[in-house]
């Protein structure tokens, strides 16, 4: 298994996942050129990608789709309501669009979409399973519902949102309405909420990317300290029970469930 977060944050999101020799992308919210170049940097040809699964229609998750579909004919999988709500839907080739329900397959992978709480048409996270390994992506969610918690259980690799520090957000310069949106049930996940999701997660050992971190209302050191402090208090040991890395907006971050990597 190979998972690389190509970009994560409000300026654009895309994740590369390879399991059992099937290569896919989760979201394409940066330019097609940047996605192609980033894949090349990790030794992957864009033409070997077998599909793109899209979590929701916001621009920072779909802005590269048009070029990727037109130039490379990549199939795109998402909920029908998500497709209908995309700003670029009239530019996407119909033959590339594959509406999904809960479960579907791409190559050797079984993919399961699970509902999340976010201010989008029909947003989802994804559990991506090979024969013996599982990668789960759960970002852009206001809170961790029971079905989200169940979906992240037993993940070998987990991409989990740690968007904001609550005190930084409350004391920051954002308008009150925006603060309420972010902290609301259809907003974004705080560091502490992410920590408790990890505490409750069922798994002997997991590799975790902390993702979609706010540039204005969070810092990597604060996020890591908040999350690791809560886990330590609950008896979870970093490096033994969970390995954590920070996903970044402008840098590829890679993790393998087979061995640690940079």
């Amino acid at each position: 298994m190979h998972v690389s977060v190509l970009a994560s944050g409000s300026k654009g999101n895309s994740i590369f996942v390879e399991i059992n020799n099937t290569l896919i992308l989760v979201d394409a919210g940066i330019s097609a050129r940047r996605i192609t170049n980033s894949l090349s940097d990790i030794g992957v040809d864009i033409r070997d990608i077998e599909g793109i699964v899209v979590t929701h229609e916001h621009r920072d998750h779909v802005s590269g789709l048009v070029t990727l579909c037109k130039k490379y004919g990549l199939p795109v999988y998402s909920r029908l309501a998500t497709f209908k709500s995309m700003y670029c839907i009239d530019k996407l080739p119909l033959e590339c669009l594959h509406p999904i329900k809960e479960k579907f397959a791409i190559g050797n992978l079984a993919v399961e979409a699970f509902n999340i709480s976010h201010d989008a048409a029909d947003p989802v996270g994804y559990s991506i399973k090979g024969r013996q390994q599982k990668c789960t992506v759960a970002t852009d969610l206001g809170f961790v519902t029971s079905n989200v918690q169940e979906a992240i259980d037993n993940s070998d690799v987990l991409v989990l949102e740690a968007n904001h520090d609550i005190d930084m957000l409350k004391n920051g310069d954002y308008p009150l309405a925006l603060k309420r949106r972010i902290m609301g049930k259809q907003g974004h996940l705080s560091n502490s909420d992410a920590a408790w999701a990890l505490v409750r997660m069922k798994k002997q050992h997991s590799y975790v990317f902390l993702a979609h971190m706010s540039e204005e209302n969070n810092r990597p050191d604060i996020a890591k300290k908040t999350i690791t402090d809560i886990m330590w208090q609950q008896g979870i040991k970093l490096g033994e029970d969970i390995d954590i890395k920070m996903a970044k907006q402008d840098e590829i971050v890679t993790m393998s469930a087979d061995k640690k990597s940079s």
Side-chain angles (χ1 to χ4, degrees):
M1 175 191 281
H2 173 172
V3 180
S4 288
V5 178
L6 308 182
S8 179
S10 59
K11 295 177 182 177
N13 299 271
S14 189
I15 302 164
F16 167 77
V17 178
E18 177 183 3
I19 308 176
N20 296 150
N21 298 315
T22 297
L23 287 60
I24 69 171
L25 293 175
V26 181
D27 290 330
I30 52 178
S31 71
R33 179 188 295 274
R34 183 176 167 193
I35 288 174
T36 301
N37 290 340
S38 295
L39 290 175
S40 180
D41 288 344
I42 59 174
V44 176
D45 190 322
I46 185 67
R47 295 171 181 82
D48 292 330
I49 298 295
E50 296 189 35
I52 305 170
V53 297
V54 173
T55 59
H56 63 292
E57 72 275 11
H58 292 167
R59 284 177 181 254
D60 59 327
H61 294 261
V62 303
S63 61
L65 283 183
V66 173
T67 301
L68 291 173
C69 288
K70 288 185 174 180
K71 188 170 182 179
Y72 302 106
L74 295 181
V76 181
Y77 302 83
S78 197
R79 291 279 173 83
L80 181 59
T82 297
F83 282 128
K84 289 181 177 180
S85 300
M86 288 182 184
Y87 78 96
C88 56
I89 185 61
D90 58 338
K91 298 179 182 179
L92 291 169
L94 288 177
E95 63 271 19
C96 291
L97 306 184
H98 299 269
I100 62 168
K101 293 186 178 180
E102 282 73 33
K103 297 180 180 181
F104 57 102
I106 303 176
N108 297 318
L109 302 179
V111 184
E112 185 169 350
F114 55 90
N115 294 331
I116 60 174
S117 177
H118 193 52
D119 55 355
D122 194 0
V124 296
Y126 289 103
S127 290
I128 304 156
K129 301 176 184 178
R131 288 186 295 272
Q132 296 180 325
Q133 293 173 310
K134 174 183 176 182
C135 173
T136 303
V137 177
T139 65
D140 293 76
L141 61 161
F143 71 112
V144 178
T145 61
S146 59
N147 75 294
V148 171
Q149 190 67 54
E150 183 179 353
I152 71 175
D153 282 348
N154 301 308
S155 296
D156 297 286
V157 175
L158 170 64
V159 183
L160 180 67
E161 180 170 49
N163 176 259
H164 60 275
D165 173 79
I166 295 174
D167 289 335
M168 285 185 69
L169 177 60
K170 286 182 177 179
N171 298 320
D173 295 330
Y174 277 8
L176 182 59
L178 181 55
K179 292 180 181 180
R180 287 174 173 169
R181 170 191 172 266
I182 293 170
M183 290 187 290
K185 290 188 176 182
Q186 290 186 312
H188 290 278
L189 206 64
S190 70
N191 296 333
S192 56
D193 284 341
W196 284 108
L198 294 176
V199 167
R200 294 189 295 266
M201 183 172 63
K202 298 175 183 177
K203 180 62 181 157
Q204 280 190 322
H205 186 275
S206 293
Y207 298 86
V208 178
F209 293 94
L210 299 178
H212 215 297
M213 191 172 299
S214 170
E215 294 181 2
E216 293 80 12
N217 302 303
N218 211 351
R219 294 204 317 262
D221 60 324
I222 290 177
K224 189 169 185 178
K225 185 177 189 311
T226 298
I227 290 168
T228 55
D229 282 356
I230 290 173
M231 291 194 301
W232 180 81
Q233 291 165 8
Q234 299 301 312
I236 297 174
K237 299 177 182 178
L238 282 179
E240 293 184 23
D241 301 313
I242 289 179
D243 278 282
I244 286 179
K245 285 193 176 183
M246 301 292 175
K248 299 180 180 180
Q249 184 70 79
D250 299 313
E251 182 181 333
I252 302 168
V253 183
T254 296
M255 192 179 285
S256 168
D258 301 315
K259 60 183 181 180
K260 298 178 184 178
S261 55
S262 60

